[in-house]
Amino acid sequence: MKTKENCGGIDVFRLLAAVLVIAIHTSPLTSFHPEADFFVTRILARVAVPFFFMVSGQFVISDLLFRKDTGGRVLLRYLKKIGLLYGIAILLYLPIGIYAGHYQGVTVYSVIRMLLFDGTFYHLWYFPACAIGTLLIAALSRFLKLPAMTAVVGALYLFGLFGDSYYGLIAHIPVISGAYSAAFRLFSYTRNGLFFAPIFLLLGVWAGSRKQGGARVRGIVGFALSFLAMTVEGFLLHQYDLPRHDSMYLMLIPTMIFLYQLLLHWRVSAPRNARPVAAWIYILHPAMVVVVRGMGKLLHQTELLVENSLIHYVIVTAFSVAAASLLAEGIAHWRKKPFPQGRAWIELDRSALARNVRFLQSRLPEGCSLMPAVKAEAYGHGAVLIAKELNTLGVRAFCVAGAAEGVKLRKGGVKGEILILGYTHPREFDLLRRYRLTQTVVDYDYACEMARYGKKLHVHLGVDTGMHRIGERSENISQICAIFDMPNLIVDGMFTHLSATDTMEPSARAFTGGQADAFRRLADGLKEKGYPIPKIHLQASYGVLNYPELAGDYARVGIALYGLLSTKQDTLRWKDSLAPVLSLKARVVSVRPLHPEESAGYGMAFTAQREMKIAVIAIGYADGLPRSLSNGAGAVLIDGCRAPIIGRVCMDQTIVDVSGISHVRAGDIAVIIGASGNETISAADLAEQSGSITNEILSRLGGRLERMMV
Ligand SMILES: *Cc1c(COP(=O)(O)O)cnc(C)c1O
C-alpha cells in the first residue's frame, strides 16, 4: 500500500537552509554592518549544512543501519544519487573554475584531494563529504553499535574543531600543530567527510528515532540557550582571532539537536517540490552569482547589483530560487512520476485525528492509555501513516490483527508496544522477537504451543468472558495460572473483549456487566493466589463511550478514533465529539450525454427515460466502493451537488448522473466519502446504503488508493 509521509517542518527548512547557504557565499550585510554580517554568515548560517547532513542521517543512514536486509541497496542508491549530483555540479562549474583560474598547476594528487575533500568548486565539498561520511559510518557499523559509533564520530568532530574554529589554541603546540599541518596536506579544511559530516549524519539518525510529542517548550528553550551560547562562542573566538576557518563550533552540536527536534514537530505544509528545489538552490547559486555579476557589467549597474551587498544577496537568491524551481519542475516533468491524486485517493485529516485522540483520552481516567486498533491498514486509512502520526501525538501502544501487520509497522518506524490480537503461526514466533511484537494467548492450547518454542515471548493473555471468540475461558483459573507459570511467557497484559457494548438496552447492559464481573473475579482469584496482575484492558470504542467506568490500563479504540461509529445513528449521536479522519476522492474521467432509451453500464441495468448528462468516475468496487451501491442506492458529490450512481458499479469505474450539475468536466474531483461544498457523505451513509457497518466499508478500501495526510 502506498503512503506518503509529510515532514513539513523539515521540508520548509530545507529551503531556508539553502537560502542561508547563499548568504554564506554572498555576505549580505557587509556593506552595512560587518559585525551583523559576521553573525549572519559565520554563526546563524552555520546551521544550514549540518541540517542537510542530519536530514540524510534521518532518511538514509537510519535505513542503512537498521534494515540489515536492504542496507546495502540503500547505500548504493544513495551513493549513486550523490555521485550523479556531484558529477553534474562538477561539469557545471568546470568552465567557471577554469575561467577563475582555480585549476592552474593541478597535479594528480591535488585533483584527488579536490575530488574527495575540498570539492572542485568552493561549495561542492558537501557532496564528497556526504559520501565519505556515509561510507565511514557504514564501515563503523560493522563493529560498533550506535552509541559507540556516536562517540567515535564525536571524537573526530573534536579533532576537526581544533583544525577549524579553535585552531589558534593548538597552532603553537609543536607536536599537535605538526600533526594538523600533515593533515592539511591531505585536505584544506577539517570540515569535510571525515571530521564534520559523520556526527551530524548520526545525530539525524538519533533525531529520527527519538521523535517525541509534548517537548515543544523544552525544545524552544534548549535551542535558544544553545544558539545564544554558540553566538557568544563565535564572537569570542573571532575576537581572539583563533579560527583558521569558522564552520565548526562546540555549541553547534546542541543547537542542531534542539533545532532539528523543533523542525520535526513543526506542522506546516511545505511547498510542492521543496526537496529538489532546495538541492538545486544549493548547487546553482554560485552560478547565479556569476550571472548577476555579468548582468551588472552589461547593464553598467555593478554598483547597485554587486556592490550593494544586500541587493546583491536578494537578487542572487531570487535568481537561484527561480532557476532551481524551473529545473526541478522540468526534471519532474521529464521523469513523469504518477500523480498521487491522479485517479482515486484517500486524504487523512491530521487535526481530526488529533481531536479524536484528545476526546477519547478525556473520557478515560488518569493512567488509562489509548491502544489504538490499527489492524486492517488502520481500518483502511493506512496503518503506518496513522500509527506514526499517533506516535507524534504521544500514543505508545497499538494493536493489530496479525504478525505481518506488526512487522510492517516496525519497518515503517512505529514506536511503542504492538499487540497482535489474533493467531500467529508458530513458524512466525521468531518474528515476534525480532520485531518486538506482543502476542495474544488465544487459549490454553496455544499457550502450550508457545511454551514449546522455548525462547522468551511477550504476551497478553486473552480471556473469554462471554463472546466465545478468543481467550481462555475466565472460569478456568487453573489453566490460566499454568499459563502465568510458563517460564518463557512474559505476561505483560490480560484482556477480554466486550461483545455487546454498542447498545444500552437492559439485556445488553446486564450482559456487559456479567462480562466485566467475570473478568474481575478472575483478577481477584489470581491476586489471591499471589500472581501479580499485569496491565488489563476491556474496552473497545463503544466500551469507552458507553461504559467509561470499565477503563483499565489500556483502551483498544478503533472505529471511534477514526471519527465514526459503526452505524449512522451512533455516528450522528457522537458527531460533536468525533470528527471523521478519512475522505475518499476520485477524478471524473469523462462527461457524456445519455439519450432516452439508451442504457449505461453492464447488463443494461440502467436505461435513460429522458435526456441526461452522465459522468464516469475513476473508482470501482476493487477500490472498496460497494457494488451494492449500484443503481441509485448510492451517490457521490461533485462541485457540492449530489450525483446518484446509475447502472452497476464496475471494478474500476462508476457512472453517475450529473444532469443537474453544470460545468462538470473531465479531471474534476468527485467526493465519495467526505465534504464538498455544503454537502457531506459519511462512511456511515455508505454503510447504511449498502447494508453494512462503517468498519467494513473503511477496512475494505483498496490497496491501490494512494493515502496522504493533509
Ligand atoms: C478490532 C478490535 C478492537 C477495536 O474495536 P472498535 O470497535 O473498532 O473500537 C478492540 N479489541 C479487539 C479485540 C478487536 O478485535
Side-chain angles (χ1 to χ4, degrees), residues 92-124:
L92 178 66
Y93 285 102
L94 209 54
I96 303 177
I98 291 170
Y99 179 74
H102 278 356
Y103 311 126
Q104 274 164 12
V106 287
T107 58
V108 173
Y109 171 71
S110 73
V111 167
I112 293 176
R113 174 175 128 150
M114 225 190 301
L115 277 177
L116 290 186
F117 296 111
D118 294 349
T120 55
F121 204 69
Y122 62 111
H123 65 312
L124 297 184

PDB file of all heavy atoms in Angstrom, residues 92-124:
ATOM      1  N   LEU A  92      29.148  21.517 -14.431  1.00  0.00           N
ATOM      2  CA  LEU A  92      28.571  22.851 -14.497  1.00  0.00           C
ATOM      3  C   LEU A  92      29.613  23.916 -14.139  1.00  0.00           C
ATOM      4  O   LEU A  92      29.668  24.979 -14.763  1.00  0.00           O
ATOM      5  CB  LEU A  92      27.379  22.913 -13.527  1.00  0.00           C
ATOM      6  CG  LEU A  92      26.647  24.243 -13.411  1.00  0.00           C
ATOM      7  CD1 LEU A  92      25.955  24.545 -14.736  1.00  0.00           C
ATOM      8  CD2 LEU A  92      25.607  24.182 -12.302  1.00  0.00           C
ATOM      9  N   TYR A  93      30.431  23.621 -13.141  1.00  0.00           N
ATOM     10  CA  TYR A  93      31.343  24.648 -12.649  1.00  0.00           C
ATOM     11  C   TYR A  93      32.728  24.576 -13.276  1.00  0.00           C
ATOM     12  O   TYR A  93      33.564  25.429 -12.996  1.00  0.00           O
ATOM     13  CB  TYR A  93      31.427  24.590 -11.117  1.00  0.00           C
ATOM     14  CG  TYR A  93      30.172  25.165 -10.514  1.00  0.00           C
ATOM     15  CD1 TYR A  93      29.164  24.361 -10.016  1.00  0.00           C
ATOM     16  CD2 TYR A  93      29.978  26.549 -10.516  1.00  0.00           C
ATOM     17  CE1 TYR A  93      27.995  24.897  -9.517  1.00  0.00           C
ATOM     18  CE2 TYR A  93      28.810  27.104 -10.029  1.00  0.00           C
ATOM     19  CZ  TYR A  93      27.821  26.265  -9.531  1.00  0.00           C
ATOM     20  OH  TYR A  93      26.666  26.813  -9.058  1.00  0.00           O
ATOM     21  N   LEU A  94      32.958  23.558 -14.100  1.00  0.00           N
ATOM     22  CA  LEU A  94      34.274  23.425 -14.711  1.00  0.00           C
ATOM     23  C   LEU A  94      34.672  24.691 -15.483  1.00  0.00           C
ATOM     24  O   LEU A  94      35.745  25.249 -15.242  1.00  0.00           O
ATOM     25  CB  LEU A  94      34.302  22.183 -15.613  1.00  0.00           C
ATOM     26  CG  LEU A  94      35.665  21.519 -15.766  1.00  0.00           C
ATOM     27  CD1 LEU A  94      36.265  21.182 -14.410  1.00  0.00           C
ATOM     28  CD2 LEU A  94      35.526  20.252 -16.603  1.00  0.00           C
ATOM     29  N   PRO A  95      33.792  25.183 -16.379  1.00  0.00           N
ATOM     30  CA  PRO A  95      34.193  26.384 -17.129  1.00  0.00           C
ATOM     31  C   PRO A  95      34.453  27.580 -16.219  1.00  0.00           C
ATOM     32  O   PRO A  95      35.428  28.314 -16.418  1.00  0.00           O
ATOM     33  CB  PRO A  95      32.979  26.660 -18.026  1.00  0.00           C
ATOM     34  CG  PRO A  95      32.108  25.463 -17.955  1.00  0.00           C
ATOM     35  CD  PRO A  95      32.478  24.677 -16.758  1.00  0.00           C
ATOM     36  N   ILE A  96      33.570  27.755 -15.209  1.00  0.00           N
ATOM     37  CA  ILE A  96      33.759  28.903 -14.315  1.00  0.00           C
ATOM     38  C   ILE A  96      35.077  28.765 -13.556  1.00  0.00           C
ATOM     39  O   ILE A  96      35.832  29.717 -13.407  1.00  0.00           O
ATOM     40  CB  ILE A  96      32.577  29.008 -13.317  1.00  0.00           C
ATOM     41  CG1 ILE A  96      31.255  29.108 -14.092  1.00  0.00           C
ATOM     42  CG2 ILE A  96      32.752  30.207 -12.419  1.00  0.00           C
ATOM     43  CD1 ILE A  96      30.028  29.139 -13.204  1.00  0.00           C
ATOM     44  N   GLY A  97      35.338  27.543 -13.086  1.00  0.00           N
ATOM     45  CA  GLY A  97      36.573  27.301 -12.336  1.00  0.00           C
ATOM     46  C   GLY A  97      37.799  27.560 -13.190  1.00  0.00           C
ATOM     47  O   GLY A  97      38.767  28.176 -12.736  1.00  0.00           O
ATOM     48  N   ILE A  98      37.730  27.113 -14.439  1.00  0.00           N
ATOM     49  CA  ILE A  98      38.874  27.324 -15.333  1.00  0.00           C
ATOM     50  C   ILE A  98      39.058  28.821 -15.578  1.00  0.00           C
ATOM     51  O   ILE A  98      40.155  29.363 -15.461  1.00  0.00           O
ATOM     52  CB  ILE A  98      38.651  26.586 -16.676  1.00  0.00           C
ATOM     53  CG1 ILE A  98      38.720  25.072 -16.444  1.00  0.00           C
ATOM     54  CG2 ILE A  98      39.701  27.006 -17.701  1.00  0.00           C
ATOM     55  CD1 ILE A  98      38.284  24.238 -17.634  1.00  0.00           C
ATOM     56  N   TYR A  99      37.942  29.491 -15.828  1.00  0.00           N
ATOM     57  CA  TYR A  99      37.988  30.926 -16.080  1.00  0.00           C
ATOM     58  C   TYR A  99      38.580  31.665 -14.879  1.00  0.00           C
ATOM     59  O   TYR A  99      39.376  32.587 -15.011  1.00  0.00           O
ATOM     60  CB  TYR A  99      36.572  31.435 -16.378  1.00  0.00           C
ATOM     61  CG  TYR A  99      36.494  32.909 -16.630  1.00  0.00           C
ATOM     62  CD1 TYR A  99      36.954  33.452 -17.840  1.00  0.00           C
ATOM     63  CD2 TYR A  99      35.972  33.771 -15.663  1.00  0.00           C
ATOM     64  CE1 TYR A  99      36.891  34.807 -18.068  1.00  0.00           C
ATOM     65  CE2 TYR A  99      35.907  35.134 -15.891  1.00  0.00           C
ATOM     66  CZ  TYR A  99      36.371  35.642 -17.098  1.00  0.00           C
ATOM     67  OH  TYR A  99      36.300  36.995 -17.324  1.00  0.00           O
ATOM     68  N   ALA A 100      38.186  31.217 -13.673  1.00  0.00           N
ATOM     69  CA  ALA A 100      38.654  31.893 -12.465  1.00  0.00           C
ATOM     70  C   ALA A 100      40.062  31.444 -12.072  1.00  0.00           C
ATOM     71  O   ALA A 100      40.609  31.913 -11.084  1.00  0.00           O
ATOM     72  CB  ALA A 100      37.685  31.611 -11.317  1.00  0.00           C
ATOM     73  N   GLY A 101      40.623  30.505 -12.815  1.00  0.00           N
ATOM     74  CA  GLY A 101      41.990  30.096 -12.535  1.00  0.00           C
ATOM     75  C   GLY A 101      42.134  29.138 -11.369  1.00  0.00           C
ATOM     76  O   GLY A 101      43.210  28.986 -10.798  1.00  0.00           O
ATOM     77  N   HIS A 102      41.026  28.448 -11.004  1.00  0.00           N
ATOM     78  CA  HIS A 102      41.082  27.513  -9.880  1.00  0.00           C
ATOM     79  C   HIS A 102      41.982  26.317 -10.133  1.00  0.00           C
ATOM     80  O   HIS A 102      42.461  25.711  -9.212  1.00  0.00           O
ATOM     81  CB  HIS A 102      39.679  26.946  -9.590  1.00  0.00           C
ATOM     82  CG  HIS A 102      38.856  27.853  -8.759  1.00  0.00           C
ATOM     83  ND1 HIS A 102      39.325  29.029  -8.233  1.00  0.00           N
ATOM     84  CD2 HIS A 102      37.572  27.750  -8.336  1.00  0.00           C
ATOM     85  CE1 HIS A 102      38.366  29.616  -7.547  1.00  0.00           C
ATOM     86  NE2 HIS A 102      37.289  28.861  -7.602  1.00  0.00           N
ATOM     87  N   TYR A 103      42.095  25.958 -11.396  1.00  0.00           N
ATOM     88  CA  TYR A 103      42.746  24.677 -11.664  1.00  0.00           C
ATOM     89  C   TYR A 103      44.145  24.840 -12.243  1.00  0.00           C
ATOM     90  O   TYR A 103      44.664  23.949 -12.888  1.00  0.00           O
ATOM     91  CB  TYR A 103      41.871  23.829 -12.607  1.00  0.00           C
ATOM     92  CG  TYR A 103      40.431  23.738 -12.164  1.00  0.00           C
ATOM     93  CD1 TYR A 103      39.400  24.080 -13.016  1.00  0.00           C
ATOM     94  CD2 TYR A 103      40.115  23.328 -10.865  1.00  0.00           C
ATOM     95  CE1 TYR A 103      38.076  24.023 -12.606  1.00  0.00           C
ATOM     96  CE2 TYR A 103      38.794  23.265 -10.454  1.00  0.00           C
ATOM     97  CZ  TYR A 103      37.772  23.612 -11.325  1.00  0.00           C
ATOM     98  OH  TYR A 103      36.477  23.552 -10.912  1.00  0.00           O
ATOM     99  N   GLN A 104      44.767  26.014 -12.005  1.00  0.00           N
ATOM    100  CA  GLN A 104      46.119  26.192 -12.520  1.00  0.00           C
ATOM    101  C   GLN A 104      47.095  25.358 -11.707  1.00  0.00           C
ATOM    102  O   GLN A 104      46.993  25.292 -10.484  1.00  0.00           O
ATOM    103  CB  GLN A 104      46.507  27.671 -12.460  1.00  0.00           C
ATOM    104  CG  GLN A 104      46.025  28.415 -13.705  1.00  0.00           C
ATOM    105  CD  GLN A 104      46.036  29.908 -13.525  1.00  0.00           C
ATOM    106  OE1 GLN A 104      46.603  30.415 -12.559  1.00  0.00           O
ATOM    107  NE2 GLN A 104      45.406  30.615 -14.446  1.00  0.00           N
ATOM    108  N   GLY A 105      48.039  24.740 -12.400  1.00  0.00           N
ATOM    109  CA  GLY A 105      49.072  23.969 -11.719  1.00  0.00           C
ATOM    110  C   GLY A 105      48.542  22.762 -10.971  1.00  0.00           C
ATOM    111  O   GLY A 105      49.056  22.414  -9.911  1.00  0.00           O
ATOM    112  N   VAL A 106      47.457  22.136 -11.483  1.00  0.00           N
ATOM    113  CA  VAL A 106      46.954  20.952 -10.794  1.00  0.00           C
ATOM    114  C   VAL A 106      47.858  19.749 -11.044  1.00  0.00           C
ATOM    115  O   VAL A 106      48.479  19.627 -12.098  1.00  0.00           O
ATOM    116  CB  VAL A 106      45.524  20.575 -11.229  1.00  0.00           C
ATOM    117  CG1 VAL A 106      44.527  21.533 -10.660  1.00  0.00           C
ATOM    118  CG2 VAL A 106      45.426  20.480 -12.733  1.00  0.00           C
ATOM    119  N   THR A 107      47.898  18.884 -10.032  1.00  0.00           N
ATOM    120  CA  THR A 107      48.602  17.614 -10.175  1.00  0.00           C
ATOM    121  C   THR A 107      47.582  16.515  -9.943  1.00  0.00           C
ATOM    122  O   THR A 107      46.465  16.797  -9.494  1.00  0.00           O
ATOM    123  CB  THR A 107      49.695  17.490  -9.102  1.00  0.00           C
ATOM    124  OG1 THR A 107      49.046  17.592  -7.825  1.00  0.00           O
ATOM    125  CG2 THR A 107      50.737  18.588  -9.241  1.00  0.00           C
ATOM    126  N   VAL A 108      47.961  15.291 -10.211  1.00  0.00           N
ATOM    127  CA  VAL A 108      47.050  14.179  -9.950  1.00  0.00           C
ATOM    128  C   VAL A 108      46.653  14.208  -8.474  1.00  0.00           C
ATOM    129  O   VAL A 108      45.486  14.061  -8.106  1.00  0.00           O
ATOM    130  CB  VAL A 108      47.735  12.831 -10.276  1.00  0.00           C
ATOM    131  CG1 VAL A 108      46.842  11.666  -9.828  1.00  0.00           C
ATOM    132  CG2 VAL A 108      48.028  12.752 -11.760  1.00  0.00           C
ATOM    133  N   TYR A 109      47.628  14.437  -7.635  1.00  0.00           N
ATOM    134  CA  TYR A 109      47.406  14.465  -6.198  1.00  0.00           C
ATOM    135  C   TYR A 109      46.402  15.553  -5.804  1.00  0.00           C
ATOM    136  O   TYR A 109      45.459  15.316  -5.046  1.00  0.00           O
ATOM    137  CB  TYR A 109      48.771  14.680  -5.528  1.00  0.00           C
ATOM    138  CG  TYR A 109      48.687  14.936  -4.061  1.00  0.00           C
ATOM    139  CD1 TYR A 109      48.338  13.912  -3.178  1.00  0.00           C
ATOM    140  CD2 TYR A 109      48.963  16.201  -3.557  1.00  0.00           C
ATOM    141  CE1 TYR A 109      48.261  14.163  -1.825  1.00  0.00           C
ATOM    142  CE2 TYR A 109      48.889  16.455  -2.206  1.00  0.00           C
ATOM    143  CZ  TYR A 109      48.538  15.431  -1.336  1.00  0.00           C
ATOM    144  OH  TYR A 109      48.452  15.673  -0.019  1.00  0.00           O
ATOM    145  N   SER A 110      46.571  16.735  -6.377  1.00  0.00           N
ATOM    146  CA  SER A 110      45.660  17.820  -5.986  1.00  0.00           C
ATOM    147  C   SER A 110      44.262  17.585  -6.540  1.00  0.00           C
ATOM    148  O   SER A 110      43.270  18.022  -5.960  1.00  0.00           O
ATOM    149  CB  SER A 110      46.210  19.172  -6.421  1.00  0.00           C
ATOM    150  OG  SER A 110      46.093  19.325  -7.814  1.00  0.00           O
ATOM    151  N   VAL A 111      44.167  16.879  -7.656  1.00  0.00           N
ATOM    152  CA  VAL A 111      42.837  16.583  -8.199  1.00  0.00           C
ATOM    153  C   VAL A 111      42.106  15.613  -7.263  1.00  0.00           C
ATOM    154  O   VAL A 111      40.928  15.801  -6.938  1.00  0.00           O
ATOM    155  CB  VAL A 111      42.928  15.967  -9.617  1.00  0.00           C
ATOM    156  CG1 VAL A 111      41.591  15.373 -10.030  1.00  0.00           C
ATOM    157  CG2 VAL A 111      43.353  17.036 -10.612  1.00  0.00           C
ATOM    158  N   ILE A 112      42.821  14.603  -6.783  1.00  0.00           N
ATOM    159  CA  ILE A 112      42.192  13.645  -5.869  1.00  0.00           C
ATOM    160  C   ILE A 112      41.752  14.351  -4.594  1.00  0.00           C
ATOM    161  O   ILE A 112      40.639  14.168  -4.106  1.00  0.00           O
ATOM    162  CB  ILE A 112      43.183  12.508  -5.536  1.00  0.00           C
ATOM    163  CG1 ILE A 112      43.435  11.689  -6.801  1.00  0.00           C
ATOM    164  CG2 ILE A 112      42.638  11.625  -4.422  1.00  0.00           C
ATOM    165  CD1 ILE A 112      44.452  10.600  -6.637  1.00  0.00           C
ATOM    166  N   ARG A 113      42.633  15.188  -4.089  1.00  0.00           N
ATOM    167  CA  ARG A 113      42.324  15.936  -2.877  1.00  0.00           C
ATOM    168  C   ARG A 113      41.077  16.807  -3.085  1.00  0.00           C
ATOM    169  O   ARG A 113      40.185  16.884  -2.250  1.00  0.00           O
ATOM    170  CB  ARG A 113      43.550  16.783  -2.553  1.00  0.00           C
ATOM    171  CG  ARG A 113      43.382  17.726  -1.431  1.00  0.00           C
ATOM    172  CD  ARG A 113      44.713  18.367  -1.195  1.00  0.00           C
ATOM    173  NE  ARG A 113      44.541  19.792  -1.186  1.00  0.00           N
ATOM    174  CZ  ARG A 113      45.296  20.615  -0.472  1.00  0.00           C
ATOM    175  NH1 ARG A 113      46.295  20.148   0.244  1.00  0.00           N
ATOM    176  NH2 ARG A 113      45.072  21.883  -0.486  1.00  0.00           N
ATOM    177  N   MET A 114      41.034  17.436  -4.252  1.00  0.00           N
ATOM    178  CA  MET A 114      39.894  18.280  -4.566  1.00  0.00           C
ATOM    179  C   MET A 114      38.616  17.442  -4.661  1.00  0.00           C
ATOM    180  O   MET A 114      37.585  17.800  -4.108  1.00  0.00           O
ATOM    181  CB  MET A 114      40.154  18.951  -5.913  1.00  0.00           C
ATOM    182  CG  MET A 114      39.833  20.413  -5.910  1.00  0.00           C
ATOM    183  SD  MET A 114      39.868  21.150  -7.523  1.00  0.00           S
ATOM    184  CE  MET A 114      41.423  20.940  -8.212  1.00  0.00           C
ATOM    185  N   LEU A 115      38.706  16.324  -5.376  1.00  0.00           N
ATOM    186  CA  LEU A 115      37.518  15.495  -5.590  1.00  0.00           C
ATOM    187  C   LEU A 115      36.992  14.921  -4.285  1.00  0.00           C
ATOM    188  O   LEU A 115      35.781  14.883  -4.057  1.00  0.00           O
ATOM    189  CB  LEU A 115      37.847  14.339  -6.540  1.00  0.00           C
ATOM    190  CG  LEU A 115      37.810  14.666  -8.027  1.00  0.00           C
ATOM    191  CD1 LEU A 115      38.226  13.450  -8.830  1.00  0.00           C
ATOM    192  CD2 LEU A 115      36.404  15.105  -8.437  1.00  0.00           C
ATOM    193  N   LEU A 116      37.890  14.474  -3.411  1.00  0.00           N
ATOM    194  CA  LEU A 116      37.452  13.764  -2.215  1.00  0.00           C
ATOM    195  C   LEU A 116      37.119  14.691  -1.055  1.00  0.00           C
ATOM    196  O   LEU A 116      36.249  14.399  -0.251  1.00  0.00           O
ATOM    197  CB  LEU A 116      38.525  12.770  -1.762  1.00  0.00           C
ATOM    198  CG  LEU A 116      38.741  11.549  -2.642  1.00  0.00           C
ATOM    199  CD1 LEU A 116      39.722  10.599  -1.995  1.00  0.00           C
ATOM    200  CD2 LEU A 116      37.422  10.841  -2.891  1.00  0.00           C
ATOM    201  N   PHE A 117      37.850  15.777  -0.927  1.00  0.00           N
ATOM    202  CA  PHE A 117      37.680  16.581   0.290  1.00  0.00           C
ATOM    203  C   PHE A 117      37.273  18.029   0.036  1.00  0.00           C
ATOM    204  O   PHE A 117      36.300  18.513   0.589  1.00  0.00           O
ATOM    205  CB  PHE A 117      38.975  16.563   1.112  1.00  0.00           C
ATOM    206  CG  PHE A 117      39.319  15.194   1.617  1.00  0.00           C
ATOM    207  CD1 PHE A 117      40.409  14.507   1.111  1.00  0.00           C
ATOM    208  CD2 PHE A 117      38.532  14.586   2.580  1.00  0.00           C
ATOM    209  CE1 PHE A 117      40.717  13.241   1.572  1.00  0.00           C
ATOM    210  CE2 PHE A 117      38.828  13.326   3.040  1.00  0.00           C
ATOM    211  CZ  PHE A 117      39.926  12.651   2.534  1.00  0.00           C
ATOM    212  N   ASP A 118      38.030  18.721  -0.794  1.00  0.00           N
ATOM    213  CA  ASP A 118      37.810  20.166  -0.891  1.00  0.00           C
ATOM    214  C   ASP A 118      36.667  20.533  -1.833  1.00  0.00           C
ATOM    215  O   ASP A 118      36.123  21.631  -1.748  1.00  0.00           O
ATOM    216  CB  ASP A 118      39.092  20.850  -1.374  1.00  0.00           C
ATOM    217  CG  ASP A 118      40.203  20.715  -0.342  1.00  0.00           C
ATOM    218  OD1 ASP A 118      39.893  20.282   0.787  1.00  0.00           O
ATOM    219  OD2 ASP A 118      41.357  21.038  -0.662  1.00  0.00           O
ATOM    220  N   GLY A 119      36.318  19.606  -2.716  1.00  0.00           N
ATOM    221  CA  GLY A 119      35.313  19.927  -3.727  1.00  0.00           C
ATOM    222  C   GLY A 119      35.984  20.646  -4.882  1.00  0.00           C
ATOM    223  O   GLY A 119      36.937  21.398  -4.689  1.00  0.00           O
ATOM    224  N   THR A 120      35.460  20.444  -6.093  1.00  0.00           N
ATOM    225  CA  THR A 120      36.117  21.050  -7.248  1.00  0.00           C
ATOM    226  C   THR A 120      35.717  22.511  -7.411  1.00  0.00           C
ATOM    227  O   THR A 120      36.302  23.225  -8.213  1.00  0.00           O
ATOM    228  CB  THR A 120      35.723  20.315  -8.535  1.00  0.00           C
ATOM    229  OG1 THR A 120      34.306  20.321  -8.613  1.00  0.00           O
ATOM    230  CG2 THR A 120      36.205  18.887  -8.515  1.00  0.00           C
ATOM    231  N   PHE A 121      34.696  22.918  -6.687  1.00  0.00           N
ATOM    232  CA  PHE A 121      34.344  24.327  -6.674  1.00  0.00           C
ATOM    233  C   PHE A 121      33.971  24.609  -5.240  1.00  0.00           C
ATOM    234  O   PHE A 121      33.677  23.695  -4.480  1.00  0.00           O
ATOM    235  CB  PHE A 121      33.184  24.598  -7.638  1.00  0.00           C
ATOM    236  CG  PHE A 121      33.140  26.012  -8.121  1.00  0.00           C
ATOM    237  CD1 PHE A 121      34.117  26.503  -8.968  1.00  0.00           C
ATOM    238  CD2 PHE A 121      32.124  26.861  -7.715  1.00  0.00           C
ATOM    239  CE1 PHE A 121      34.078  27.815  -9.418  1.00  0.00           C
ATOM    240  CE2 PHE A 121      32.079  28.178  -8.161  1.00  0.00           C
ATOM    241  CZ  PHE A 121      33.067  28.655  -9.013  1.00  0.00           C
ATOM    242  N   TYR A 122      33.927  25.891  -4.837  1.00  0.00           N
ATOM    243  CA  TYR A 122      34.048  26.099  -3.410  1.00  0.00           C
ATOM    244  C   TYR A 122      32.924  25.562  -2.535  1.00  0.00           C
ATOM    245  O   TYR A 122      33.157  25.209  -1.399  1.00  0.00           O
ATOM    246  CB  TYR A 122      34.378  27.546  -3.066  1.00  0.00           C
ATOM    247  CG  TYR A 122      33.346  28.566  -3.479  1.00  0.00           C
ATOM    248  CD1 TYR A 122      32.610  29.232  -2.520  1.00  0.00           C
ATOM    249  CD2 TYR A 122      33.151  28.898  -4.818  1.00  0.00           C
ATOM    250  CE1 TYR A 122      31.698  30.202  -2.887  1.00  0.00           C
ATOM    251  CE2 TYR A 122      32.236  29.859  -5.181  1.00  0.00           C
ATOM    252  CZ  TYR A 122      31.513  30.513  -4.218  1.00  0.00           C
ATOM    253  OH  TYR A 122      30.605  31.456  -4.573  1.00  0.00           O
ATOM    254  N   HIS A 123      31.723  25.387  -3.069  1.00  0.00           N
ATOM    255  CA  HIS A 123      30.676  24.831  -2.208  1.00  0.00           C
ATOM    256  C   HIS A 123      30.466  23.343  -2.442  1.00  0.00           C
ATOM    257  O   HIS A 123      29.663  22.717  -1.787  1.00  0.00           O
ATOM    258  CB  HIS A 123      29.367  25.569  -2.442  1.00  0.00           C
ATOM    259  CG  HIS A 123      28.828  25.369  -3.833  1.00  0.00           C
ATOM    260  ND1 HIS A 123      29.612  25.510  -4.954  1.00  0.00           N
ATOM    261  CD2 HIS A 123      27.597  25.036  -4.278  1.00  0.00           C
ATOM    262  CE1 HIS A 123      28.877  25.282  -6.032  1.00  0.00           C
ATOM    263  NE2 HIS A 123      27.652  24.987  -5.644  1.00  0.00           N
ATOM    264  N   LEU A 124      31.183  22.783  -3.385  1.00  0.00           N
ATOM    265  CA  LEU A 124      30.885  21.398  -3.767  1.00  0.00           C
ATOM    266  C   LEU A 124      31.501  20.355  -2.841  1.00  0.00           C
ATOM    267  O   LEU A 124      31.258  19.162  -3.010  1.00  0.00           O
ATOM    268  CB  LEU A 124      31.319  21.142  -5.220  1.00  0.00           C
ATOM    269  CG  LEU A 124      30.590  21.987  -6.264  1.00  0.00           C
ATOM    270  CD1 LEU A 124      31.018  21.588  -7.660  1.00  0.00           C
ATOM    271  CD2 LEU A 124      29.075  21.845  -6.129  1.00  0.00           C
TER     272      LEU A 124
END
